[in-house]
């Protein structure tokens, strides 16, 4: 059992008693529902008996399991239902009769074919909060298209502001999927709060990856509209402020130094670089001027960093109140002291064996995140369907008809 809060742990968590049915795959919806599970909701993940969520099979590096799947699917119950069968859809609706929330991110049109269009849900389950995550939102020329993380990042301009000039790049993490999943979770919490206060019942919520990425691009879009130019990507720097970037050190490391206001720049120039002349120069007095003369500043800072070791640079920067960081590779973050000394890693169960897993980012006083296992495909089918009234004989019949998955 993991510990992320302080004081005595609560029983169940803030979302205890909330049941979520998930028709999900890949990352966006699973991130949404894992977030809800981390807060104590019960999440019933409905999967195709023939392979389940396709993210289960992206790779096999985690004791035979895919890293993506292990990451975003802890704490869920897996029910294997063939939703192409009438009986399977019937069982899904019986699950929804007891659910508070439905989350889906199936292919365009798939939920409507299952009788789960907004109008259908409103008529049949007026108290159900139904969230559909899609690629481009409804009513536009791209609404019919499949949308994966990279495709949406390219379409929304994210790749154009990532990387370097002439060499656009996709950000490493699947930011379209993750941020959309988190926006969906936030929307669900708002809807649950409204329902609890009597300000509403159920209803449908739509969140698209494209709209989320357009929001993430807010600064760049605002700048482009009013300046009339596209800002060029600057690698490990920022088009908005200067100096702000990564510099090699004398001992072969890379330090990242950043200033966000004029006072910090004055301290960097005078207290660290020993260049009061730069601090006093009119062309560097304000951030717009420093951005225009970024190359000159980077050359001076790089030369200074190249004469000093990382530890000395970071101590000097800390003493001067200047933001700084060490450039780390993922393998170095695994044992990062900020994670280790704050006890942020836990061990959770999975079908392939115990695996390390990070606690959720939010620390709620008095609440201990459940950190429950990653489910095997269909592992909870019999138990969940028994809850909704299926007898052992019915389960055997459903299994013989391949409506539900085989026993693990």
């Amino acid at each position: 059992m993991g510990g992320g809060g302080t004081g005595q742990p609560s029983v169940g968590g803030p979302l205890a008693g909330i049941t979520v049915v998930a028709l999900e795959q890949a990352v966006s919806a699973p991130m949404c529902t894992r977030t809800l599970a981390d807060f104590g909701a019960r999440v019933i993940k409905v999967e195709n008996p023939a392979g389940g969520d396709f993210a289960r099979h992206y790779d096999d590096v985690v004791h035979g399991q895919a890293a993506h799947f292990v990451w975003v699917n802890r704490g869920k119950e897996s029910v294997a239902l063939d939703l192409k069968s009438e009986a399977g859809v019937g069982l899904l609706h019986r699950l929804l009769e007891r659910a508070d929330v439905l989350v889906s991110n199936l292919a365009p049109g798939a939920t409507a074919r299952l009788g789960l269009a907004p109008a259908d849900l409103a008529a049949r389950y007026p108290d159900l909060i139904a969230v559909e995550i899609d690629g481009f939102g409804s009513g536009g020329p791209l609404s019919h298209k499949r949308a994966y993380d990279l495709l949406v990042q390219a379409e929304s301009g994210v790749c154009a502001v990532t990387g370097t000039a002439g060499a656009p790049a996709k950000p490493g993490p699947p930011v379209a999927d993750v941020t959309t999943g988190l926006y969906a979770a936030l929307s669900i919490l708002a809807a649950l709060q409204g329902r609890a206060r009597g300000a509403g019942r159920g209803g449908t919520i739509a969140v698209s990856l494209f709209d989320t990425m357009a929001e993430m691009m807010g600064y760049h879009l605002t700048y482009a509209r009013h300046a009339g130019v596209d800002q060029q990507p600057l690698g490990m720097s920022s088009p908005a402020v200067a100096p702000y970037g990564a510099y090699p050190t004398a001992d072969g490391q890379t330090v990242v130094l950043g200033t966000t206001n004029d006072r910090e720049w004055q301290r960097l120039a005078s207290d660290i670089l020993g260049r009061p002349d730069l601090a006093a120069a009119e062309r560097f007095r304000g951030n717009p001027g420093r951005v225009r003369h970024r190359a000159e500043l980077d050359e001076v800072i790089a030369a200074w960093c190249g004469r000093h070791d990382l530890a000395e640079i970071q101590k000097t920067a800390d003493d001067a109140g200047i933001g700084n960081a060490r450039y780390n590779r993922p393998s170095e973050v695994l044992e990062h002291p900020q994670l280790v000394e704050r006890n942020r890693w836990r061990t959770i169960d999975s079908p392939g064996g115990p695996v390390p897993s990070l606690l959720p980012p939010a620390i709620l006083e008095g609440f201990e995140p459940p950190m429950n296992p990653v489910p095997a495909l269909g592992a909870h089918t019999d138990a969940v369907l028994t809850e909704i009234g299926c007898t052992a004989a019915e389960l055997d019949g459903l299994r013989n008809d391949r409506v539900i998955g085989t026993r693990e």
Side-chain angles (χ1 to χ4, degrees), residues 161 163 233-247 256-257 294 298:
V161 299
L234 296 170
M236 287 186 61
S237 187
S238 167
V241 293
Y244 194 92
Y247 309 94
V256 181
L257 295 174
R294 179 194 309 276
D298 281 343

Side-chain angles (χ1 to χ4, degrees), residues 8 11 33 35 89 95 125 179 194 241 294 305 308 356 381 389:
Q8 294 299 314
V11 177
T33 58
T35 300
V89 173
L95 290 174
Y125 310 108
T179 53
V241 293
R294 179 194 309 276
C305 290
H308 301 273
T381 303

Side-chain angles (χ1 to χ4, degrees), residues 11 35 52 108 131 154 158 161 168 208 240 249 297 315 318 380:
V11 177
T35 300
V131 179
V158 173
V161 299
S208 79
T249 67
L297 291 179
K315 183 180 187 308
D318 285 340
H380 304 86

Side-chain angles (χ1 to χ4, degrees), residues 34 70-71 74 344-348 355-359 371:
R34 197 211 76 181
V70 170
W71 168 40
R74 68 173 180 238
R344 295 292 298 164
W345 288 103
R346 294 293 185 274
T347 298
I348 62 173
V355 295
S357 186
L358 281 169
L359 286 166
M371 303 298 285

